[in-house]
Amino acid sequence: MKVSAPAGFVCTSNGGLVKEDRSGSQWSFHWKMKMPIPAYLITLTAGKFSEIKDSWNKIPVNYLVEKGREAEGQRSFGKTPKMLELFSEKLGFPYPYEKYHQIAVSEFTFGGMENTTATTQTDATLHPAEMEPDFTSEDLVSHELAHQWFGDLVTCKSWSHGWLNESWATFMETVFKEKDMGEDETQYYRYEELQIYLSEDSSVYRRPIVTNVYSDPAEIWDRHLYQKGGLILNLLRAELGADTFWKGTKLYLEKHQGQAVETIDFQRALEEASQRPLDWFFDQWIFKAGHPELKIVLDWDSKNKMAKVRLEQTQKKDALTPIHLINSFVEFFFEGGKSKKISLLMDHSVKNLVVPFEKEPIAMRFDSENQILKTVQWELSEKMIGEQLKLSGDVVGKIWAMKTLTKKATIKGQELLNERLKSDPFWGVRKEAALMLGKITSQRAYNHLCEAIKSEKDSRVRSGLATALGCFKTNAAFEQLVLLTQESETTMVRAKAAEAIGKTRNSKAIDQLTKLLNVDSWRDLVQAHAFKGMGHIGDEKVVPILIEGSQYGA
């Protein structure tokens, strides 16, 4: 790619820089790729960018941003060398190109586009320090970087197999998160990804990961391709073991670099590495649809001293949705801190497990490493769930247990939720406890939420508290939310409180939200959520305000 542009315009394209001339009224640039690339990944960006120069293994790693936003660029993209190091190590295939640049451009259609060696990023990802930890660029940055292997080095032969690009990039987000932030953060992130997929599956449609049923390829760039596919790759790693999984992935990349591939190419590489047939896995997870919907019941036979566990897959079985083969474990816990883990292979709709013990278990977990893509309905006593919630780790298991408490909404259950809200060491569990108390909408639940607002410091949990308060249609909840929109709160808390104000449908809500439209905030976040709040009110009085706010230039 040879480019000339007016002086001051920095140009970037694929490959290494062969020659440049930044003198005179016209600047010129010559970029050249050593390796062939898919045509859809050819790029050219030009703008009056400021260049932040970094490197990894002597490979240029630059970030191009609007002048004056250098600090935000470093904050957003600064972990890229760490990602390059980790991905090269895990994949056993070092980053294969001459450079890696990220260019933040305005009004970009997508979050990012993985153009080979020169990813185009939205400038909406550039953010001030005060937006963290409510907002981070790391998931976007790791996703687009992963595409340099999955989508660029090896790309899908047709969009039907697009998961080989997008599911892999989504999965690698969590691979970096594991390394950078630890297990609890990663598990909660996967849980949030699961909720996004489940929403599409339940309210929009259900489809296999690989399908040729679409009128336009854009239709399959959905939550099945990204979130569900990423979770399936995590499950596949667990099924094969990490060493074998990465060995097979390395083989896949080495054998097919510079080629277009289909799902069978990836499957065969894993089968060669593992010496295991994987038709069953790809059939139920990739070429069929749905997921296990589990109901788990535990009974204690005191006479014979046996724990009787019944697991049932309750999803409706049809041509699209199979009964899944599940390879996992259950773990029993006893007084004094002892535990016992039992392997479990489930290949029918019902699995009964009978285990003899000297004493009755006080708690039980299933798939505590959260590898299976599933929903869980626990049928346990509130006492046992309470003990389960006290155990360390397994943040996702705690959340599923809390969902069970929310459905019954007993006084004891609400107290158990409040206990998690007040004392759980992980912020994600505290946030989910707040959201579940909001769904109960009792006076007791409301009181617990208000007490938490007084002591909770984490802005992410405070955002959850604001959302939960929006479920209460009372003057008290409205007044509490107004307080959460004050300048003393973070931008995200103020934004979530603004939207929640609309959900209360209070008589003063329109006036309060109109005031918030004048609040200056990062990327107009508070104003945007104030408009969302007006939408929740559902009163025709807000229509002129919404129309005015939607005018071009707003």
Side-chain angles (χ1 to χ4, degrees), residues 18-57:
V18 176
K19 183 180 179 182
E20 69 173 352
D21 182 0
R22 301 194 187 194
S23 63
S25 61
Q26 289 282 311
W27 288 5
S28 63
F29 302 84
H30 179 188
W31 300 93
K32 186 175 182 179
M33 279 293 307
K34 292 180 180 178
M35 298 171 64
I37 62 173
Y40 74 93
L41 296 173
I42 293 172
T43 184
L44 169 65
T45 57
K48 293 184 177 180
F49 296 115
S50 181
E51 299 169 272
I52 305 167
K53 295 187 177 182
D54 208 337
S55 66
W56 174 79
N57 277 9

Side-chain angles (χ1 to χ4, degrees), residues 227-483:
Q227 281 78 10
K228 184 182 183 183
L231 293 168
I232 289 170
L233 284 168
N234 178 63
L235 172 58
L236 184 54
R237 179 178 59 170
E239 177 66 34
L240 296 176
D243 290 345
T244 300
F245 174 81
W246 292 120
K247 179 182 176 183
T249 301
K250 179 175 186 272
L251 181 63
Y252 166 70
L253 292 171
E254 288 177 339
K255 186 173 182 179
H256 298 289
Q257 59 180 300
Q259 297 178 15
V261 292
E262 295 180 338
T263 298
I264 190 62
D265 298 309
F266 177 50
Q267 179 183 331
R268 284 171 176 160
L270 293 180
E271 288 177 334
E272 183 175 338
S274 65
Q275 294 297 295
R276 287 176 55 184
L278 294 172
D279 284 341
W280 68 272
F281 186 96
F282 281 80
D283 179 62
Q284 76 175 24
W285 287 111
I286 305 300
F287 295 103
K288 288 185 179 175
H291 53 272
E293 298 172 30
L294 291 169
K295 180 180 178 181
I296 305 177
V297 182
L298 171 63
D299 286 321
W300 172 249
D301 183 342
S302 57
K303 180 180 179 180
N304 297 303
K305 292 189 174 182
M306 289 184 175
K308 298 180 179 180
V309 182
R310 175 185 169 89
L311 296 94
E312 181 181 1
Q313 294 191 42
T314 61
Q315 70 270 22
K316 183 179 179 181
K317 186 179 182 301
D318 53 31
L320 201 60
T321 308
I323 294 297
H324 287 69
L325 187 152
I326 296 175
N327 182 15
S328 188
F329 60 88
V330 292
E331 192 170 6
F332 300 90
F333 296 84
F334 304 89
E335 293 284 1
K338 292 184 178 181
S339 65
K340 177 73 172 179
K341 187 180 286 189
I342 307 292
S343 296
L344 171 78
L345 182 66
M346 183 177 187
D347 55 2
H348 290 86
S349 59
V350 175
K351 176 74 175 183
N352 290 300
L353 189 68
V354 179
V355 188
F357 291 120
E358 291 183 3
K359 295 182 179 180
E360 181 179 1
I362 61 170
M364 184 183 82
R365 281 175 169 172
F366 167 73
D367 184 32
S368 58
E369 295 175 1
N370 192 35
Q371 308 291 7
I372 310 296
L373 193 163
K374 64 187 182 301
T375 63
V376 181
Q377 177 185 343
W378 286 102
E379 293 292 333
L380 304 175
S381 67
E382 285 187 333
K383 181 180 179 182
M384 182 169 278
I385 288 179
E387 293 297 328
Q388 185 176 334
L389 291 174
K390 293 177 185 176
L391 298 171
S392 62
D394 189 23
V395 298
V396 176
K398 289 181 181 180
I399 294 169
W400 285 119
M402 290 193 300
K403 284 179 180 285
T404 301
L405 297 175
T406 306
K407 287 183 178 179
K408 295 181 180 179
T410 65
I411 292 175
K412 175 64 174 176
Q414 292 177 63
E415 293 306 313
L416 289 172
L417 288 172
N418 184 46
E419 191 177 313
R420 287 306 95 205
L421 175 60
K422 291 192 302 182
S423 63
D424 198 275
F426 183 63
W427 69 267
V429 173
R430 301 200 302 277
K431 177 182 176 180
E432 293 298 325
L435 294 173
M436 292 178 201
L437 284 168
K439 291 179 180 178
I440 293 174
T441 64
S442 68
Q443 184 62 46
R444 180 181 296 270
Y446 176 77
N447 292 340
H448 289 327
L449 293 171
C450 290
E451 282 299 313
I453 286 173
K454 296 176 184 178
S455 58
E456 180 60 58
K457 303 299 183 184
D458 193 301
S459 59
R460 296 165 293 185
V461 183
R462 294 185 70 80
S463 293
L465 289 164
T467 299
L469 286 170
C471 298
F472 295 84
K473 308 297 188 283
T474 63
N475 288 330
F478 169 78
E479 296 296 339
Q480 186 67 65
L481 285 166
V482 170
L483 291 175

Side-chain angles (χ1 to χ4, degrees), residues 107-122:
E107 300 193 33
F108 190 51
T109 309
F110 309 106
M113 181 60 209
E114 63 273 16
N115 306 305
T116 311
T117 75
T119 289
T120 307
Q121 302 279 29
T122 172

Side-chain angles (χ1 to χ4, degrees), residues 143 166-176 178 190 226 229-231 233-235 237 245-246:
H143 182 104
E166 295 302 342
S167 299
W168 258 105
T170 306
F171 168 62
M172 294 301 284
E173 295 175 30
T174 63
V175 171
F176 179 71
E178 287 170 343
R190 288 200 185 105
Y226 286 75
L231 293 168
L233 284 168
N234 178 63
L235 172 58
R237 179 178 59 170
F245 174 81
W246 292 120

Side-chain angles (χ1 to χ4, degrees), residues 59-99:
I59 295 173
V61 179
N62 294 357
Y63 323 127
L64 281 69
V65 300
E66 181 184 347
K67 290 181 179 179
R69 307 193 72 180
E70 293 83 2
E72 292 180 348
Q74 183 63 45
R75 183 176 302 110
S76 297
F77 306 134
K79 289 186 179 180
T80 305
K82 288 177 64 176
M83 296 173 187
L84 281 160
E85 179 71 25
L86 178 65
F87 291 178
S88 296
E89 174 194 340
K90 287 288 185 185
L91 299 171
F93 196 111
Y95 180 77
Y97 301 118
E98 302 93 324
K99 73 164 190 296

